[in-house]
Each structure stands twice: as C-alpha cells, then as structure tokens.
Amino acid sequence: MAGEKAEKPDTKEKKPEAKKADAGNKAKKVKMVKKVKKGKPHCSRNPVLVRGIGRYSRSPDSRKVLKHARKLRASITPGTVLIILPGRHGGKRVVFLKQLGSGLLLVSGPLSLNRVPLRRTHQKFVIATSTKIDISGVKIPEHLTDTYFKKKKLHKPRHQEGEIFHTEREKYEITEQRKVDQKAVDSQMLRRIKAAPLFQGYLRSMFALTDGIYPHKVVF
Amino acid sequence: MASTPEKTKTKTNKEKHHTEMTYRRLWSKAIFAGYEQGLWNQREHPALLKTEGVCARDETELYLSKRCACVHKAKKNTVTTGGKSYKTRVIWGKITQAHGKCGTVWAKFQSNCPIRATGHSICVMQYRSRI
C-alpha cells in the first residue's frame, strides 16, 4: 500500500504495513498495532524528509511504536486464567496479572503449581477463559517492567589464543532477584487460589484437545 | 508437590516423543482437501482444508487467521528451532477465509502444500487467538 506515513488508520484491519513504516526501528512484539495518524496535509513519501526522522534512525524519539495505544481484549482482566498456547508452556493455565507497557501480558503460574514463572506472553498466543480469580489486593512490584523481562543476550565465547576449545557458552541462570519477585507475587496469589475450591488443581492441569473436543464448540 | 518437567516444544517437533511428559495436542486436525479450483483449472496457492468437526460456514469463524502447519517427513534430518534435528519438516501457513457452506476453509502456506498431502492431516493451531 502506498503512502506509509499519511494513511488514515483503519480500525478493523490489522495492518502489517504499520511495521513497514517503522522498518528502521527494532522489531517489537506488538502485533495488533493501530497506526498513529499523522495529520500532515502534504505527505512526503520519502521517510527521510518526514519530520526530519531518518528511516534508519534508532533514536528513542523516533520509535513511533512506543506511542501506539496498547489494546487489551475485553476478555482479559487481571486475575483471568489464561491458557498459553505455543511454546514450552503450551497448554498450561496461568493467571494474568497485568499488561506491561509494551502490550505484553505479565502472567504467573504460580510457579509452584505449574512451573510457569513470572513471564511475559502475548495476547495473541493465549486463550482467555472465563474463570477469574480476585487479585485486587495483590501488589505487583513496580519494577516488573519490560526491561526487567527483556532477554539478556548470552555472550558467545570469543575465540582467544590457546582457549579455542575451552570456552563455554554463557548459560541462562535464574537471578536471585527473579526468585524474590516470584515469591513475593506468588505468595499473595496462592493465598487467594487456595481459598477458592478446586482452583489449585485447575491451574495444575493442562489444556489439551482430545477426540470429540472441537475448539469452536468449546466454551472457554 | 511434583513439579512438572518442562517440555521443549520446538516448531517441528510434532513427532510424539514420549520423553518426560505425555504428548498433548493443542492443535485441531484438518484434512488437506485439495487446491482452490474451478471446473478446469486449479490454483495451488489457496489450499482447501476441512477442519474436523466444522460443518457449517458460521462455525469456521473461530479458525480464521489461525496458523496451520503441514507436517511431513523427509529423508534427511533438518535442524529445527531448539537445536535438535529431525526428519520432520513443516510448512507453515494460515487460514485466510471460509469456503462454501460446509465448513471448508482456505489456507495459504508459505510454500504451497504438496499434492501428496491430499487427504492427510494438517495441524491447525489455536493461535493467533482472538478469544
């Protein structure tokens, strides 16, 4: 589609073009993105000329993705039990805590029930069930933001003289901070989970499709 | 309280490796019914899928824009995400629209679904989810 910058947003359409407009910027995980409308009467197609922002400019100001409004499905509210779909935790039922600044969802197993730690997931890769826990009183530490959860790049070993075959890759290790935060959140949640009947077992169990169960017929 | 061992679920790990955890199916079964065609010509890009249990057009609404995967085996091992290599390969695609009255859908794959897969299963994932 032409005219990346000056196009009016179409609410219904999920535009991949929104990503192309920010082609120079780092790819973020926001998939359902509403393009910010630029009210420019004379649009210049050349992104370099538009507002002096270079196409490959990576300065924080030019990352329009950051300014996008983050949507949250109406079915997902704090305390909802979500079913994680893909990945190593696929099929697990977790509790939704809050939506982070980038739009990703902060969830927790809790860890002791289904081995899902405080983690970020994406709305699109999650089924929201109608089951909810009341976590209104749960205080989630303020420092749990996107930067806290951002993946740390594990350094590959650099080949040095005499150490060519010795170097090991840096392995991911759970930091103490994470354990502390996990415990802080989980202890509050577990109290509420244990109060509700059958909830512990529910969160421990995993979702799976079996014979005769069709997702379009299932009421989540 | 037994802690459930973590299962590494790589993208092409559709073979039922009964390692620590039992295999759990998180995808719907669909049959690759053929290509989009008129009476005399066919277009291989849209593939027709018949999802199990879906018998009417209004039931297909849930499956639109879902990822689907044509899983097939090949002779040589290929490396997958996660590092291990298997003989299984995947062609990823997505369900684009409904087709007709009886629950058939169109799917478009990154590379066209091979004709030898006709009548065989295709996995329809539950993501990207809109529920």
Side-chain angles (χ1 to χ4, degrees):
Chain A
M1 275 190 144
E4 302 163 336
K5 300 284 175 191
E7 256 187 335
K8 290 197 179 137
D10 193 359
T11 347
K12 292 290 180 189
E13 252 185 19
K14 293 169 180 87
K15 284 191 173 174
E17 272 73 31
K19 277 199 215 158
K20 280 185 197 163
D22 307 316
N25 301 317
K26 285 184 199 159
K28 281 223 145 191
K29 276 192 193 171
V30 180
K31 297 250 155 69
M32 215 167 56
V33 149
K34 194 172 178 177
K35 256 183 71 188
V36 175
K37 179 177 175 179
K38 303 260 184 245
K40 279 183 67 102
H42 305 287
C43 77
S44 165
R45 287 248 218 119
N46 189 346
V48 179
L49 296 179
V50 171
R51 289 202 181 168
I53 296 170
R55 191 194 167 110
Y56 297 101
S57 163
R58 286 180 185 243
S59 67
D61 318 336
S62 71
R63 287 169 72 180
K64 296 168 219 49
V65 183
L66 290 174
K67 293 178 194 161
H68 288 147
R70 304 308 187 208
K71 287 188 198 166
L72 189 63
R73 288 205 288 263
S75 51
I76 302 178
T77 56
T80 312
V81 175
L82 307 174
I83 300 174
I84 296 183
L85 290 168
R88 56 171 38 202
H89 296 294
K92 292 194 182 169
R93 297 183 168 100
V94 296
V95 180
F96 168 62
L97 296 172
K98 71 173 195 180
Q99 185 177 35
L100 299 172
S102 65
L104 297 174
L105 314 178
L106 175 63
V107 297
S108 178
L111 186 68
S112 52
L113 292 182
N114 51 25
R115 299 305 295 168
V116 178
L118 278 169
R119 199 171 206 266
R120 295 188 295 177
T121 51
H122 196 284
Q123 269 187 77
K124 290 257 171 204
F125 297 101
V126 133
I127 293 179
T129 62
S130 52
T131 319
K132 296 187 202 300
I133 316 176
D134 180 25
I135 60 164
S136 46
V138 173
K139 285 196 179 56
I140 301 160
E142 285 299 317
H143 59 263
L144 297 181
T145 58
D146 286 298
T147 35
Y148 175 88
F149 287 105
K150 201 168 171 62
K151 224 174 190 174
K152 314 279 182 300
K153 256 206 161 162
L154 300 174
H155 293 287
K156 282 189 192 169
R158 281 216 178 131
H159 289 298
Q160 289 170 20
E161 285 199 29
E163 289 183 15
I164 297 178
F165 299 113
H166 267 321
T167 42
E168 280 180 30
R169 295 190 82 164
E170 217 182 89
K171 282 197 176 163
Y172 171 73
E173 276 173 14
I174 309 167
T175 59
E176 279 306 313
Q177 176 68 53
R178 288 261 184 148
K179 292 184 189 173
V180 165
D181 290 325
Q182 183 74 53
K183 211 170 175 190
V185 176
D186 276 1
S187 54
Q188 297 177 66
M189 281 212 302
L190 279 171
R191 223 185 321 129
R192 286 166 177 78
I193 290 170
K194 284 179 182 173
L198 300 178
F199 232 93
Q200 262 194 300
Y202 179 61
L203 290 176
R204 270 222 204 98
S205 65
M206 278 178 55
F207 172 76
L209 296 173
T210 53
D211 267 351
I213 298 186
Y214 306 121
H216 65 278
K217 295 250 163 88
V218 172
V219 176
F220 282 105
Chain B
M1 208 180 312
S3 62
T4 46
E6 280 170 342
K7 174 188 176 194
T8 40
K9 197 172 181 182
T10 57
K11 266 192 174 177
T12 64
N13 186 12
K14 295 292 185 285
E15 293 172 321
K16 299 174 189 189
H17 288 295
H18 292 281
T19 46
E20 294 122 341
M21 286 189 77
T22 50
Y23 175 80
R24 281 167 202 277
R25 182 164 66 86
L26 288 171
W27 39 272
S28 300
K29 294 185 202 171
I31 303 252
F32 172 48
Y35 298 127
E36 192 247 324
Q37 60 178 105
L39 211 46
W40 293 285
N41 301 314
Q42 74 177 18
R43 262 159 233 101
E44 290 88 23
H45 193 40
L48 291 174
L49 299 189
K50 286 199 191 187
T51 322
E52 198 181 41
V54 181
C55 314
R57 197 187 174 94
D58 45 14
E59 288 173 6
T60 63
E61 218 248 296
L62 178 93
Y63 295 94
L64 298 183
S65 81
K66 295 284 180 288
R67 293 274 131 191
C68 48
C70 174
V71 183
H72 58 282
K73 290 197 179 172
K75 188 176 170 187
K76 293 192 177 178
N77 281 334
T78 39
V79 184
T80 72
T81 54
K84 296 186 188 162
S85 69
Y86 299 103
K87 288 192 165 53
T88 319
R89 296 184 193 178
V90 197
I91 305 174
W92 285 99
K94 145 167 122 167
I95 292 180
T96 54
Q97 59 182 80
H99 176 84
K101 294 194 293 189
C102 300
T104 318
V105 290
W106 274 22
K108 289 195 177 179
F109 291 89
Q110 279 175 2
S111 61
N112 295 336
C113 217
I115 192 66
R116 64 163 184 265
T118 319
H120 293 296
S121 273
I122 291 199
C123 315
V124 174
M125 306 295 161
Q126 298 309 308
Y127 52 88
R128 295 147 200 263
S129 139
R130 284 172 287 139
I131 307 172

